[in-house]
Amino acid sequence: MQVRQIDPNDDDELASWCAVQRASKAADWPDDPPSTLRQMRAIANGGFGGKRFIFQVVADDAGHTVGCSMQGRPTRDNRRRIELEVHVDPAHRRRGAGRALVHHVEE
């Protein structure tokens, strides 16, 4: 599994991120609508109370995006705490994608 940071201003990369989030939310929280590409781009650019986030994806061996994460950057006054949202496509769960994303953030 390969984890990499994406550019949230790249439509293709962000669309891939959103597709995984959409599949994950549909399986786990069907009443919670997924975020749109536009909403996620706004969040990435500080539109969520000025907070900044790092967007990452994990790909399987064939290069398909199977997991994604959104990591909040630590703040100046709280360097030991971050926010982390992890999603894995339900068809690819229990294969290490979520663990790879969390491990990447821990590093």
Side-chain angles (χ1 to χ4, degrees):
M1 302 252 159
Q2 178 187 6
V3 177
R4 66 182 179 81
Q5 186 173 331
I6 66 163
D7 176 1
N9 293 305
D10 180 310
D11 285 344
D12 292 335
E13 287 189 333
L14 190 57
S16 178
W17 191 99
C18 286
V20 171
Q21 184 212 39
R22 187 176 306 111
S24 177
K25 279 187 145 186
D28 298 333
W29 303 97
D31 295 335
D32 186 16
S35 303
T36 66
L37 189 72
R38 184 177 178 185
Q39 289 169 326
M40 295 314 297
R41 186 174 297 110
I43 288 171
N45 291 310
F48 189 68
K51 292 182 183 178
R52 295 285 185 185
F53 293 89
I54 299 167
F55 287 73
Q56 298 151 331
V57 295
V58 62
D60 63 11
D61 293 336
H64 300 108
T65 300
V66 297
C68 65
S69 68
M70 183 173 75
Q71 171 190 344
R73 296 177 189 259
T75 60
R76 286 187 302 172
D77 60 335
N78 195 350
R79 307 287 302 157
R80 296 182 181 267
R81 181 181 180 274
I82 64 166
E83 295 176 41
L84 179 64
E85 179 178 315
V86 175
H87 295 281
V88 177
D89 186 312
H92 297 275
R93 289 182 177 170
R94 305 278 183 218
R95 298 180 194 165
R99 182 177 25 243
L101 286 162
V102 170
H103 181 72
H104 182 79
V105 170
E106 288 176 338
E107 290 295 314

